[in-house]
């Protein structure tokens, strides 16, 4: 059984990673070479020459085309072979697969499934990563686990108490009640902790940004977007200033500080993933020191998760067929898994099979 | 086909290895976490949280209980879950497997099979390791081979001539006649070399301990106790002073020096093992220098065996189904193997199947 | 399906590698130990003791025999056991397989197939490696790829343009027409480039050796000898001095410089190989500086090939069942592959099966 749907936009690289050189990266078990054309447009090609399978990423760019590093076959950005050594004519069937690819919200996204379904409107919403009024920074981590274990981890923040006891862990979170909701594509977990003393991290942020010390209303709003994106809206505001809002009416967060932990986790293989994250905030926008501190702070915390997630993957491999038991805290993760499973099942159905993805595009 | 019986006490750790922290160790293909309660009693639990399988050894001790390092589930020394995060009630089926475990003769022993059969009287006899009149020290080696290859090695000491030519190797041993006997649980190989000049090692020991130089009666009495313990009674006494005794009557060893090489080899997996050994002696009891020298001397010799045993394992893997030929020298090892095979076969029989081991104890 | 025929002489070592010590080497998936007798004759035995499978290469030489490093069994150069520990008689079936082995053209050759077919006249022709009038040197490289990928590489030199662009790469070669021929055991690819300016390498050689600067006739004559030997006759001569000769009549190369790239690639396993090569020349025979420079220059170039070949092997593993497309430039490699395939198929046929190779020679 597949562990991920193919018909989805997956983050393949940070925008700044991709330039005028050949970047090999495996996405959903497929080896792909990425590069930018001279005008900056990203290209994604199957990373194996049609002739003898040498990775094209071992060749070189020539204008907007790739030259294979073994026998010099040339492929254009659509994957078509435009030159063969020592012969005048080019075999018309000679091509490599080209993937739909685009850039948005500071990531380069690739669609490993049926190209006919690659609607740019389906790119996950990570607009905080490049919108006015928000600033921040992030990283890419390679984790040796099924990407869904990262989703599980993000959908339940009570683990902070036990995994991150030395930094952001906080009994208050494990004890606060939460509300879980879901739709066809989204699942959310919302926690409000009102009129509390802020934990050290948030106390520091609100004092620095707003000059405020005292009780706060604190929120954590986790939002999963199938199949593999999780945004976490976090922050605190002066207690009683209406940050929470009421049913259907957004609150007033002007007396607070707000951040978004942006996460999108791309399957590399069934048991490894590329974990892209960023932390965006709406305060102290021009203080590079704050950006740097938040980025490194989050990176430290995610390294603790990495160690737990990789151990969990090894344990799962040791227990094939293990039936997992869900606790109350797993409500959000459980819904995220169901939304993923539905998309995988839809692609495995006979109707979907009619839309088989051509591995080698027809001539 | 199994390579070891499950219904047996296996050494899991030296007593001093186990304290108030979590010790993960794989025994007979089962991942187990060991620790001591506040009163020193050893505990052995399945090393995988009931909830998400994270190794409990990545968590922490809290009193006599273990707290999982991911979501904070708490398990007591019987493996029962006593606390779950963010919920009042605890799922009554929530538990991990607890193994029978006890401490004896300086080792912590675990029983990976049917707990109902775990009779403390079945712990192998290694009493020389903590009896008055004996002293010594030992080590734990991890060897990348089937534990039975170590047994083979110990049951035939002619290999000393070829593997340990630089240290204890001695043509006399390869040439001395031996007697092999066996019962249901034991197999022995006995060699007496009477009226000989002692080899350098024993000449040194008897001169230092008894002030004696001259001809000796020398013995090597190898005793296998199924499934994986081998004691080797070795020593020399002044020639003709009756050390050998006669049929059924123990000899007089008072004019000699005597040591016991104690070995118990625990399967880690089918192709790796934990090899615990010690050397106990009945002379110069208070000379720490002698203890140190003997421990390091034996350790050096066992490293030579390790290299041979690991090469042999790789060769066996390269020759699946190879039929081994036995020489005269293999009589002891052959009997040891038969006793092991019988116990494995007994556990595989339909009668034994009726006593299936519950992996998860019932609530 | 086998990747190599067994009935062939395969280079196992350079002559100078083999002396009075035990050299373990895997040839065609078979672990073999090589050594020389006191009179220098090479011996090749199965590298696993009949008794407990320990590699004999972990033992030691005693005269013309090998003593096993575990229990001291002794085997002679025919593989027969001549001594067993602690017993007078030797089991007459005790032996290890002995392989036909001989030395020729500076290599030690072993025949892993049916010994009855091991005709010394079938050793590949690499006489330039030790003939008067020729000098040179070579190396052994271990490459993690199917030996046939190395053959493919050598049978088409247009890859020089793309893989070796920094050194010997040359558009002229990729553009020159070639002629491919084949027989039952040989396949050739011949390129003549007449009246051209020599590339830097050859310009330097002919100026140094013959004091000549100017236009040349240049040749590359690649000759494959099944299953795994490729000689490449390369050189330049003053243009128009008749180096090419005519149909059936050898040319006059006296006004030129000539080298032979000698290659024989021995399968180690199905996906790794021992690549033996040498470069022999017929000029400046006594200049050690030239020998050194050519050897290191070729070694540098072959390291570039190694990186491509290993990447190609990984890509092939990633694409099981991939159908390769052939270009014009693949004519020579295609014929080499067919000659190899025929020999593999012949060994797999029922007739060949009648000549089964005894793994353990009969007593």
């Amino acid at each position: 059984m597949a562990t991920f749907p193919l018909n989805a936009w997956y983050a393949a690289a940070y925008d700044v990673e991709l330039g005028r050189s050949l970047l090999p990266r495996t996405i959903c078990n497929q080896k792909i070479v990425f590069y930018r054309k001279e005008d900056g447009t990203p290209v994604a090609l199957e990373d194996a020459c049609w002739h003898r399978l040498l990775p094209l990423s071992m060749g070189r760019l020539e204008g907007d085309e790739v030259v294979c590093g073994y026998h010099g076959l040339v492929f254009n950005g659509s994957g078509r072979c435009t030159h063969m050594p020592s012969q005048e004519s080019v075999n018309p069937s000679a091509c490599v697969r080209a993937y739909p690819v685009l850039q948005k919200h500071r990531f380069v996204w690739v669609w490993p499934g049926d190209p006919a379904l690659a609607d740019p409107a389906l790119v996950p919403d990570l607009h905080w990563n490049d919108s006015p009024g928000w600033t921040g920074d992030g990283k890419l981590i390679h984790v040796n686990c099924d990407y869904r274990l990262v989703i599980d981890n993000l959908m339940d923040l009570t683990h902070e108490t036990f995994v991150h006891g030395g930094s952001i862990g906080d009994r208050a979170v494990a004890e606060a009640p939460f509300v879980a909701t879901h739709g066809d594509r989204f699942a959310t977990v919302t926690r409000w902790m009102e009129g509390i003393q802020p934990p050290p991290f948030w106390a520091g942020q609100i004092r620095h940004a707003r000059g405020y010390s005292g009780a706060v209303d604190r929120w954590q709003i986790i939002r999963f977007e199938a199949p593999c994106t999780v945004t976490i809206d976090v922050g605190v505001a002066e207690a009683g200033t209406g940050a929470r809002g009421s049913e259907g009416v957004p609150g007033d967060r002007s007396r607070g500080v707000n951040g978004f932990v942006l996460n999108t986790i791309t399957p590399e293989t069934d048991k490894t993933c590329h974990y892209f994250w960023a932390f965006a905030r709406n305060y102290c926008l021009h203080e590079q020191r704050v950006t740097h501190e938040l980025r490194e702070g989050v990176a430290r915390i995610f390294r603790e998760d990495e160690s737990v997630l990789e151990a969990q993957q090894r344990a799962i491999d040791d227990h094939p067929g293990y039936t997992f038991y869900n606790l109350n805290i797993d409500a959000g993760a459980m819904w995220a898994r169901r939304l993923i499973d539905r998309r995988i099942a839809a692609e495995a159905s006979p109707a979907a099979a009619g839309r088989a993805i051509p591995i080698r595009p027809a001539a």
Side-chain angles (χ1 to χ4, degrees), chain A:
Chain A
M1 168 131 171
T3 60
F4 45 76
L6 287 172
N7 289 318
W9 290 107
Y10 287 103
Y14 256 100
D15 53 3
V16 296
E17 282 187 279
L18 195 59
R20 290 284 296 157
S21 59
L22 297 165
L23 175 70
R25 194 154 278 169
T26 296
I27 306 287
C28 296
N29 292 326
Q30 302 181 38
K31 294 194 176 175
I32 303 178
V33 56
F34 295 88
Y35 65 93
R36 288 190 194 275
K37 292 187 182 176
E38 290 181 333
D39 70 1
T41 318
V43 172
L45 299 178
E46 182 182 0
D47 194 14
C49 180
W50 168 87
H51 175 230
R52 286 291 177 267
L53 291 178
L54 192 79
L56 291 177
S57 54
M58 291 181 74
R60 65 174 199 276
L61 267 184
E62 214 170 76
D64 286 352
E65 302 188 316
V66 190
V67 181
C68 178
Y70 200 171
H71 301 96
L73 281 79
V74 179
F75 298 88
N76 67 18
S78 311
R80 177 146 322 278
C81 180
T82 61
H83 178 79
M84 286 178 169
S86 301
Q87 56 189 69
E88 287 303 311
S89 62
V90 168
N91 184 327
S93 76
C95 57
V96 295
R97 183 174 172 192
Y99 292 84
V101 62
L102 55 78
Q103 182 169 330
K104 196 170 177 186
H105 304 325
R106 297 216 43 218
F107 295 110
V108 175
W109 302 87
V110 68
W111 182 278
D114 181 349
L117 304 177
D119 179 354
L122 297 174
V123 172
D125 182 13
L126 294 172
H127 74 270
W128 303 269
N129 218 17
D130 61 355
S131 292
W134 294 90
T135 193
D137 202 357
K139 292 198 177 184
L140 163 58
I141 318 173
H142 183 268
V143 191
N144 290 315
C145 75
D146 185 328
Y147 74 105
R148 296 174 298 185
L149 299 185
V150 184
I151 306 286
D152 291 346
N153 176 283
L154 292 166
M155 293 304 287
D156 163 44
L157 298 184
T158 62
H159 80 264
E160 290 181 357
T161 312
F162 307 98
V163 179
H164 311 302
S167 54
I168 57 167
D170 189 343
R171 286 252 166 219
V173 172
E175 287 159 13
F178 61 87
V179 176
T181 69
H182 67 276
D184 278 350
R185 189 169 161 197
F186 297 98
T188 68
V189 174
T190 302
R191 265 195 181 84
W192 278 91
M193 294 152 274
E194 290 169 290
I196 63 164
Q197 284 308 309
F201 170 76
W202 284 118
Q205 301 292 309
I206 199 170
R207 187 168 52 240
H208 180 70
R210 309 279 178 233
Y212 171 79
S213 298
V216 296
D217 295 341
R218 180 183 175 192
W219 65 91
Q220 287 180 334
I221 305 170
I222 309 169
R223 183 171 182 268
F224 167 76
E225 178 171 355
C228 60
T229 299
V230 177
T231 60
I232 313 182
D233 172 7
V234 288
V236 297
E238 287 186 35
T241 58
R244 183 167 188 169
S246 58
E247 208 63 52
V249 183
D252 169 14
R253 295 177 173 183
S254 61
R255 309 290 288 279
V257 286
N258 189 189
F260 272 79
V261 191
L262 308 173
N263 309 276
T264 189
I265 305 101
T266 300
E268 180 186 50
T269 66
D270 290 324
K271 294 185 180 176
T272 59
C273 59
H274 306 291
Y275 178 3
F276 296 90
W277 62 263
F279 186 90
R281 69 184 188 278
N282 71 351
Y283 56 93
C284 305
L285 294 183
H286 304 295
E287 293 188 43
Q288 178 57 29
R289 196 194 59 78
V290 176
T291 301
H292 190 131
E293 178 180 70
L294 288 171
R295 185 190 65 222
E296 293 309 313
V298 176
R300 248 189 318 273
I301 286 164
F302 283 4
R303 274 194 289 274
E304 296 175 328
D305 287 306
E306 195 180 329
S307 139
V308 163
L309 293 168
E310 297 191 343
Q312 196 194 357
Q313 179 68 54
R314 288 190 297 270
I316 289 171
D317 293 343
D318 282 344
H319 293 74
Y322 187 79
T323 305
F324 286 92
Y325 303 85
N326 286 317
L327 306 181
N328 294 352
I329 56 169
D330 297 313
M334 204 185 63
W335 276 109
R337 291 283 194 140
R338 285 193 192 163
L339 299 188
I340 294 171
D341 287 349
R342 273 186 208 161
R343 297 184 62 160
I344 294 172
E347 291 189 5
S349 73
R355 299 196 61 89
I357 302 145
I359 294 297
R360 295 288 189 181

